[in-house]
């Protein structure tokens, strides 16, 4: 017999070990099996499991377990990303905490060795955490973005794209982090709204005829100004276009140019142009062939392009000094307070600078064209489809991609420079030396580029480099293109789009047939989780408290693509209770002798209750199969919940009790066999979502009756494929009538506060002969479940009876002797009035456009939910009032 309850703490590690040791995570070797592959969005090697990871990886695991059980050669390929800047930062901080010298004093080689040491000791944390969640990845194929195989792929891609003219070196603006002294991607920039100022500076005209006033939030950049721009249609300044102003402090003459970028409605309408320190100004500078004057060094200090008094000053110290000097020169025309958005490094937390440097770039516009076409043609589909619009908007406006980083941890750029600056891009140093020899006619010393590649460059190759490319491996031939990518919307631009570009360019096929974008996980009120708010839910804590299955089921059931997930401990506890309910149902089946029968055929069942259950099982299996195949994870989980809890545990088990305790041996044996068969199907269907609990129950029930066709672990069992002919319309109608009679009767009793001890008869007032016979035959079940004394057919109901109609049958409960009808009517009238007042208040609030616009999103949603709940409760009470009015 089963233990009293399921203990996740002891069962989960034992079961996971059994799965892994069985080889179940690896795809089948059967050459006839249809390949189905998923590549994991590689978590940072520095990372630990957060709730977003838990959702994303749960959905991947649900899908891969499902397809594996369907007989496909299912590969879920895991791995981690070297996460350049994040990992370098972790190790630098670790060295500082230990009192060691910094990386620059240590030197590149020694520092990189330290990172590899850290990776060996701590880099696998998140992988082990994914195991705790139940992730059935094929760990034998685990990859790391700095593996030698993946590194070879990176070098080949870089060299080929360079030879095709799609990778080039250019001096352009980048996001520069002065703390880490590196370019960073847009993804690594956090836009923060802060308090600031507009300083209004007067620039004197060269001819002494006046001045032009500009406003800036970054006074220090004026040291690099190379023009003032005005709108070509701005009548105030048309006469000044072509003239020059003398830049205060610096003394440089700069032109006044006409450009659409200047906004006549903003500030004075004149704007200072600093091409080396502003992305918009850079484009203005290109249009007008302006000098690009960089006035900062790598550390954010003023360099020697500025007047000597400013050289070496921190940018913000220089800001204060410039403002003071403008004031001293009587050229400060005003200071205006403002709130504005300032870019910060998401890891360093300091202000990021637009910075002009020599970097390596990818011509993303060319690579984007076939990637756009692949989605337009349907070769790759986004689910939900509306994310295609987001993808298209970005891809059709894509900018050159800066791929170089001034770090030491990462893929070193395969470019070597000769003594005259000539560049040799090759996959190996030996090949570069040979190219240099051919170029110079002799051996010359070469120096490799100091930079490494953006982490997203290597991640863009993930779907094919992990399968062995550039070698022609069996895995590559079998599993590329992969089938489904499950990921978050926040990296559509930075990862999904780049994988599409590189996959099509190097493999002549899009890397995915489908891209499923999962929801965001928020707290119970709908607010975004953050440490500062103290509302973060740690998935490992939740697994410790409730078990992995409860968390998995919650995330799956709430993962509807159209909404965010409002996660709470109460929800997870509720789904843990679902697991307990299933455990108790199996326990009940064991205690009542339910066991697999030799040669049992569900199509031959005769008892209406069993025929109904068989049909419901078939419909559920078909619906869950469709839902999982379509990535409708919430539909699958909710369908399983309804069938397992509501139909099987609640209705079937309760309706079966009189049969199991009765004297009809044939009906009893058939019911026992049907229950055992249905439980096997339930466990199989539930396995992808709740793998631990179902595997344990599968094992615990292995010896009940005849052996199963599949004698091994449930993870390797075949997915149920039940024929439609198992459905029985007549049995469905019969059991639907019985369930409706009981369910609606319970609602009547509850709404009118009929005591549980009261046992009135259930009166059949109007019904055809067949319906009356069905209800009479089900009298034992109805009596027990509705707490009535029996089922009686009558010509009319006595006074004080509460009528209700189900499936076209009029039933009645004579309750006048158990309750005071007048008192109940007064109570219900008062409750309806209270609910009506609450509905009016909430509706008025939601009808206020100002409230909806200003209130936090979670507060508005809370009010909408309250309104819907109040309206439903009011309708229910009004129906009860109506029945009281009909009481004879």
């Amino acid at each position: 017999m089963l233990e009293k309850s399921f203990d996740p703490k002891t069962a989960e590690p034992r079961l996971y070990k059994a799965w892994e040791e069985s080889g179940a995570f690896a795809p089948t070797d059967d050459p006839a099996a249809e390949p189905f592959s998923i590549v994991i969005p590689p978590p940072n090697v520095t990372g630990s499991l957060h709730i977003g990871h838990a959702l994303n990886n749960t959905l991947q695991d649900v899908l891969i377990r499902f397809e594996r059980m369907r007989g496909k050669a299912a590969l879920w390929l895991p791995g981690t990303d070297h996460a350049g800047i994040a990992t370098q930062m972790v190790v630098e901080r670790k060295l500082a905490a230990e009192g060691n010298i910094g990386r620059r004093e240590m030197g590149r080689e020694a520092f990189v060795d330290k990172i590899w040491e850290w990776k060996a000791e701590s880099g696998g944390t998140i992988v082990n955490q994914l195991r705790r969640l139940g992730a059935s990845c094929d760990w034998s194929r685990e990859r790391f973005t700095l593996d030698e195989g993946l590194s070879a792929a990176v070098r080949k891609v870089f060299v080929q794209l360079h030879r095709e003219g799609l990778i080039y070196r250019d001096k352009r603006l980048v996001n520069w982090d002065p703390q880490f002294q590196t370019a960073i991607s847009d993804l690594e920039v956090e836009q923060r709204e802060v308090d600031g100022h507009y300083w209004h500076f007067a620039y004197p005209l060269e001819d002494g005829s006046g001045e032009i006033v500009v406003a800036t939030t970054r006074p220090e950049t004026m040291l690099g100004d190379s023009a003032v721009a005005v709108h070509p249609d701005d009548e105030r300044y048309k006469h000044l276009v072509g003239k020059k102003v003398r830049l205060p402090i610096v003394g440089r003459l700069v032109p006044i140019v006409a450009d659409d970028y200047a906004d006549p409605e903003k500030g004075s309408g004149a704007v200072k142009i600093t091409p080396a320190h502003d992305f918009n100004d850079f484009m203005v500078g290109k249009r007008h062939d302006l000098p690009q004057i960089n006035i900062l060094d790598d550390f954010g200090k003023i360099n020697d392009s500025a007047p000597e008094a400013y050289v070496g000053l921190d940018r913000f110290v220089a800001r204060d000094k410039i403002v003071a000097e403008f004031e001293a020169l009587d050229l400060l025309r005003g200071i205006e307070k403002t709130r504005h958005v300032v870019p910060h490094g998401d890891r360093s937390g300091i202000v990021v600078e637009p910075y002009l440097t020599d970097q390596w770039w990818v011509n993303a516009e060319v690579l984007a064209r076939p990637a756009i076409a692949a989605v337009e043609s349907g070769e790759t589909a986004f689910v939900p489809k509306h994310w295609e619009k987001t993808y298209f908007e970005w891809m059709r406006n894509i900018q050159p991609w800066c791929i170089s980083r001034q770090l030491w941890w990462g893929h070193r750029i395969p470019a070597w420079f000769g003594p005259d600056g000539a560049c040799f891009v090759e996959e190996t140093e030996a090949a570069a030396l040979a190219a240099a020899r051919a170029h110079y006619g002799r051996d010359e010393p070469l120096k490799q580029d100091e930079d490494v590649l953006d982490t997203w460059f290597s991640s863009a190759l993930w779907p094919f480099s992990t399968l062995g490319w550039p070698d022609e491996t069996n895995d590559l031939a079998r599993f590329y293109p992969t089938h489904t990518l499950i990921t978050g919307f926040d990296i559509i631009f930075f990862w999904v789009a780049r994988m599409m570009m590189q996959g099509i360019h190097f493999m002549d096929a899009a890397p995915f047939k489908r891209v499923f974008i999962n929801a965001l996980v928020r707290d119970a009120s709908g607010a975004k989780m953050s440490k500062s708010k103290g509302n973060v839910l740690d998935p490992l804590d939740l697994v410790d408290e409730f078990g992995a299955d409860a968390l998995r089921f919650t995330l799956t059931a709430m993962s509807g693509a159209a909404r965010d997930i409002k996660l709470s401990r109460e929800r997870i506890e509720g789904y843990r209770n679902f697991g307990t309910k299933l455990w108790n149902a199996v326990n009940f089946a064991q205690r009542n002798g339910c066991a697999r029968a030799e040669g049992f055929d569900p199509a031959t069942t005769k008892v209406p209750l069993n025929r109904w259950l068989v049909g419901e099982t078939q419909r559920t299996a078909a619906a869950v199969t469709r839902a999982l195949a379509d990535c409708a994870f919430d539909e699958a989980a909710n369908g399983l919940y309804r069938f397992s809890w509501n139909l099987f545990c609640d209705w079937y088990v309760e309706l079966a009790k009189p049969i199991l305790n009765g004297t009809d041996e044939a009906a009893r044996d058939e019911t026992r066999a049907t229950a055992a068969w249905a439980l096997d199907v339930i466990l199989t269907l539930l396995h992808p979502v709740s793998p631990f609990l179902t595997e344990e129950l599968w094992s615990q029930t292995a010896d009940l009756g005849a052996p199963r066709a599949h004698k091994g672990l449930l993870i390797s069992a075949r997915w149920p494929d039940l024929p439609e002919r198992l459905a029985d319309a007549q049995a469905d109608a019969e059991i639907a009538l019985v369930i409706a009679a009981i369910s609606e009767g319970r609602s009547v009793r509850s709404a009118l506060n009929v005591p549980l001890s009261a046992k009135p008869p259930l009166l059949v007032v109007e019904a055809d002969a067949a319906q009356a016979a069905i209800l009479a035959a089900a009298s034992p079940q109805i009596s027990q479940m509705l707490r009535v004394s029996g089922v009686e057919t009558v010509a009319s109901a006595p006074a004080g009876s509460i009528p209700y109609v189900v499936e076209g049958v009029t039933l009645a409960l004579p309750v006048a002797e158990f309750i005071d009808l007048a008192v109940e009517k007064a109570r219900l009238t008062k409750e309806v009035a209270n609910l009506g007042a609450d509905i009016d208040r909430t509706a008025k609030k939601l009808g206020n456009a100002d409230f909806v616009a200003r209130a936090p999103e979670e507060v508005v949603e809370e009010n909408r939910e309250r309104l819907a709940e109040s309206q439903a409760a009011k309708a229910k009470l009004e129906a009860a009032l109506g029945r009281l009015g009909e009481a004879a």
Side-chain angles (χ1 to χ4, degrees):
M1 295 296 288
L2 287 177
E3 295 291 333
K4 184 178 179 181
S5 61
F6 178 61
D7 179 17
K9 282 187 170 60
T10 58
E12 288 173 1
R14 167 172 51 80
L15 293 169
Y16 196 90
K17 182 180 179 185
W19 291 330
E20 198 163 6
E21 290 179 349
S22 74
F25 296 166
T28 176
D29 292 332
D30 181 359
E34 178 187 344
F36 183 94
S37 52
I38 297 175
V39 291
I40 200 170
N44 286 357
V45 71
T46 57
S48 59
L49 196 71
H50 59 62
I51 202 68
H53 288 134
L55 169 65
N56 181 261
N57 286 281
T58 291
L59 298 183
Q60 290 179 80
D61 194 49
V62 168
L63 187 58
I64 207 71
R65 285 178 184 267
F66 164 66
E67 296 293 3
R68 186 186 291 130
M69 294 174 84
R70 287 217 286 177
K72 295 184 182 179
L75 170 63
W76 184 13
L77 202 151
T80 49
D81 192 291
H82 66 278
I85 196 167
T87 306
Q88 183 160 316
M89 180 179 72
V90 165
V91 175
E92 284 198 70
R93 286 179 177 172
K94 182 173 182 289
L95 290 172
E98 294 170 353
N100 291 315
I101 59 174
R103 69 178 173 97
R104 296 185 185 281
E105 294 79 12
M106 185 179 289
R108 183 173 194 141
E109 188 174 340
F111 179 70
V112 170
D113 285 345
K114 282 289 182 186
I115 300 182
W116 278 110
E117 287 176 19
W118 174 88
K119 194 262 180 187
E121 294 170 8
S122 309
T125 298
I126 196 165
V127 167
N128 293 324
Q129 291 171 339
L130 286 172
R131 285 178 160 92
R132 288 203 59 198
L133 193 64
S136 60
C137 305
D138 184 355
W139 299 109
S140 69
R141 287 173 163 88
E142 183 181 354
R143 305 305 300 267
F144 178 54
T145 49
L146 281 177
D147 286 349
E148 179 47 43
L150 273 68
S151 296
V154 167
R155 292 191 295 270
K156 182 175 179 64
V157 165
F158 187 96
V159 171
Q160 181 173 326
L161 290 177
H162 182 264
R163 287 176 180 167
E164 293 171 355
L166 294 174
I167 283 182
Y168 57 93
R169 192 164 170 81
D170 193 13
K171 187 183 289 291
R172 293 175 62 96
L173 281 188
V174 296
N175 298 305
W176 186 265
D177 190 315
Q179 178 168 319
F180 293 119
Q181 297 95 55
T182 181
I184 60 176
S185 74
D186 291 340
L187 182 65
E188 295 159 323
V189 174
E190 183 180 299
Q191 301 292 350
R192 298 183 191 171
E193 190 175 32
V194 300
D195 290 320
H197 297 86
Y198 272 116
W199 286 273
H200 296 261
F201 291 161
Y203 287 1
L205 293 165
E206 177 193 14
D207 60 11
S209 61
E211 65 186 29
I212 191 166
V213 176
V214 299
T216 181
T217 58
R218 300 163 66 213
E220 65 279 8
T221 62
M222 62 80 52
L223 298 173
D225 283 359
S226 56
V228 172
V230 296
H231 195 277
D233 298 331
D234 193 332
E235 295 294 336
R236 294 172 296 173
Y237 299 118
K238 276 189 174 182
H239 68 288
L240 296 180
V241 174
K243 290 189 175 185
K244 293 184 178 181
V245 298
R246 187 169 298 280
L247 200 58
I249 300 174
V250 179
R252 185 167 58 245
L253 289 174
V254 300
I256 298 173
V257 299
D259 195 279
D260 289 342
Y261 170 62
D263 183 354
E265 303 299 321
K266 191 173 180 181
S268 66
V271 58
K272 59 189 282 303
I273 301 299
T274 318
H277 294 286
D278 183 277
F279 288 100
N280 291 313
D281 292 7
F282 179 80
M283 300 310 298
V284 175
K286 286 283 188 183
R287 289 194 287 272
H288 297 276
D289 196 25
L290 300 174
Q292 299 170 337
I293 305 167
N294 181 11
I295 53 94
L296 294 176
D297 66 13
D298 291 356
F299 296 86
K301 294 182 178 181
I302 306 299
N303 66 23
D304 56 11
S305 294
E308 186 177 351
Y310 287 86
V311 175
L313 292 182
D314 177 82
R315 54 191 164 149
F316 298 119
V317 173
R319 172 180 297 182
D320 294 339
K321 185 177 175 66
I322 285 168
V323 172
E325 191 160 350
F326 263 84
E327 189 169 19
L329 293 169
D330 197 25
L331 295 174
L332 180 62
R333 296 293 176 258
I335 303 174
E336 177 187 348
K337 287 186 177 181
T338 185
R339 289 281 292 174
H340 63 135
V341 172
V342 176
H344 288 69
D346 67 344
R347 297 189 184 279
S348 67
I350 69 169
V351 174
V352 168
E353 288 289 342
Y355 190 57
L356 189 66
T357 61
D358 288 309
Q359 302 283 349
W360 290 92
W361 302 83
V362 171
N363 187 336
E365 183 182 358
V366 172
L367 292 175
R369 290 172 198 150
I372 292 169
V375 177
E376 288 175 331
S377 70
E379 181 185 356
T380 298
F382 276 79
V383 180
K385 189 174 177 62
H386 68 79
W387 287 113
E388 289 181 4
K389 182 181 178 183
T390 303
Y391 173 83
F392 287 140
E393 283 178 356
W394 191 73
M395 292 289 269
R396 288 168 181 157
N397 296 283
I398 201 164
Q399 297 298 309
W401 172 18
C402 176
I403 57 171
S404 45
R405 296 290 181 269
Q406 290 64 55
L407 302 170
W408 287 353
W409 174 245
H411 294 100
R412 189 92 173 258
I413 289 177
W416 286 261
F417 295 95
D420 59 354
C423 183
F424 305 94
V425 174
E426 300 289 346
E427 292 183 44
T428 65
E429 185 176 15
L433 287 167
R437 190 179 305 116
H439 174 76
Y440 293 114
R442 61 187 181 278
D443 287 335
E444 288 284 357
L446 301 180
K447 183 178 180 181
Q448 187 172 1
D449 195 306
E450 293 286 331
D451 291 350
V452 299
L453 286 163
D454 176 14
T455 298
W456 297 106
F457 189 88
S458 50
S459 297
L461 318 182
W462 189 251
F464 55 96
S465 65
T466 52
L467 294 170
W469 189 90
D471 295 334
E472 295 293 332
T473 65
N474 291 333
D475 275 359
L476 189 64
R478 190 181 194 195
F479 294 113
Y480 190 93
T482 66
H483 190 283
T484 300
L485 175 73
I486 299 179
T487 189
F489 72 89
D490 52 333
I491 54 174
I492 290 176
F493 314 136
F494 303 100
W495 190 46
V496 178
R498 287 164 179 172
M499 286 189 289
M500 290 289 290
M501 290 189 285
Q502 300 287 45
I504 293 170
H505 193 79
F506 288 94
M507 297 296 296
D508 295 321
F512 321 106
K513 297 175 185 175
R514 175 174 62 186
V515 178
F516 178 82
I517 304 298
N518 59 245
L520 263 181
V521 186
R522 296 180 178 270
D523 73 8
S525 67
K528 189 174 181 179
M529 291 188 189
S530 70
K531 290 179 181 177
S532 62
K533 291 181 181 177
N535 63 346
V536 172
L537 291 175
D538 186 322
L540 297 174
D541 290 344
L542 298 173
V543 169
D544 287 338
E545 186 174 355
F546 301 107
D549 287 329
L551 177 60
R552 288 170 61 108
F553 206 107
T554 307
L555 293 171
T556 307
M558 299 178 72
S559 66
R563 65 180 189 276
D564 291 337
I565 294 173
K566 294 181 182 178
L567 189 64
S568 67
R569 279 187 152 78
E570 291 74 22
R571 285 287 189 127
I572 302 167
E573 184 177 16
Y575 285 113
R576 181 186 63 186
N577 295 343
F578 167 70
T580 302
K581 184 87 169 178
L582 182 62
W583 185 273
N584 291 340
V586 174
N587 212 334
F588 167 84
Q590 283 188 345
R591 286 188 281 103
N592 283 273
C594 299
R596 288 177 295 279
E598 193 72 49
F600 174 75
D601 181 358
T604 63
T605 52
K606 295 181 173 57
V607 176
L609 179 64
N610 294 331
R611 298 204 315 273
W612 167 77
L613 179 67
V614 167
E616 288 287 0
T617 305
Q618 185 277 326
R619 282 189 287 273
T620 299
V624 171
T625 301
R626 283 193 302 272
L628 290 180
D630 293 341
C631 286
F633 298 105
D634 58 328
E635 290 180 22
N638 291 319
L640 287 166
Y641 185 97
R642 171 188 169 272
F643 177 66
S644 304
W645 186 309
N646 299 103
L647 297 188
F648 186 86
C649 295
D650 280 353
W651 289 110
Y652 180 77
V653 166
E654 292 303 320
L655 292 170
K657 283 178 180 178
I659 301 173
L660 294 171
N661 295 325
T663 57
D664 185 335
E665 191 173 336
R668 188 172 65 239
D669 289 346
E670 181 188 283
T671 301
R672 286 170 171 167
T674 303
W677 170 82
L679 278 170
D680 273 357
V681 176
I682 288 172
L683 294 180
T684 310
L685 294 175
L686 270 171
H687 180 75
V689 185
S690 301
F692 293 107
L693 176 71
T694 54
E695 189 71 75
E696 184 74 351
L697 286 172
W698 183 265
S699 170
Q700 294 286 341
T701 56
D703 298 329
L704 290 180
R708 297 184 178 108
H710 176 75
K711 298 179 178 62
L713 293 167
L714 177 56
I715 190 175
S716 302
R718 292 307 296 263
W719 189 255
D721 184 12
L722 305 178
E724 288 185 25
R725 60 184 172 79
L726 290 180
D728 185 320
Q730 183 180 340
D732 291 345
E734 290 183 21
I735 303 305
L737 176 58
V738 174
I739 289 175
I742 296 169
S743 184
E744 192 64 15
R746 286 172 168 173
S747 293
V748 170
R749 292 186 64 133
S750 173
L752 299 179
N753 282 337
V754 178
L756 289 175
S757 59
K759 288 195 173 183
L762 176 65
L763 305 180
V764 182
V765 182
E766 292 181 13
D768 62 32
Q771 291 171 322
I774 292 168
L775 292 168
S779 182
Q781 288 95 332
I782 294 172
S783 297
Q784 182 173 318
M785 298 179 71
L786 186 54
R787 302 183 71 83
V788 294
S789 60
V791 177
E792 301 174 14
T793 301
V794 296
S796 63
S801 295
I802 306 298
Y804 63 96
V805 179
V806 293
E807 308 289 330
V809 175
T810 301
L811 303 170
L813 285 170
V815 296
E817 66 178 284
F818 304 110
I819 62 171
D820 186 324
L821 297 180
V823 170
E824 284 304 311
K825 186 173 183 179
R827 180 183 66 83
L828 289 172
T829 301
K830 183 178 180 181
E831 288 189 23
V832 166
N834 289 338
L835 282 168
D838 187 57
I839 288 168
D840 289 343
R841 281 193 301 272
T842 309
K844 186 177 180 181
K845 191 183 290 186
L846 289 170
N848 183 336
D850 191 52
F851 168 76
V852 173
R854 293 178 179 275
E857 183 184 339
E858 57 267 25
V859 173
V860 175
E861 185 59 29
E862 184 182 335
N863 275 273
R864 286 181 179 140
E865 290 175 359
R866 179 177 179 175
L867 179 62
E869 289 168 4
S870 297
Q871 288 170 333
K874 182 170 178 276
K876 192 173 181 180
L877 293 182
E878 285 174 335
L881 259 178
R883 290 194 182 107
L884 272 176
E886 295 174 26

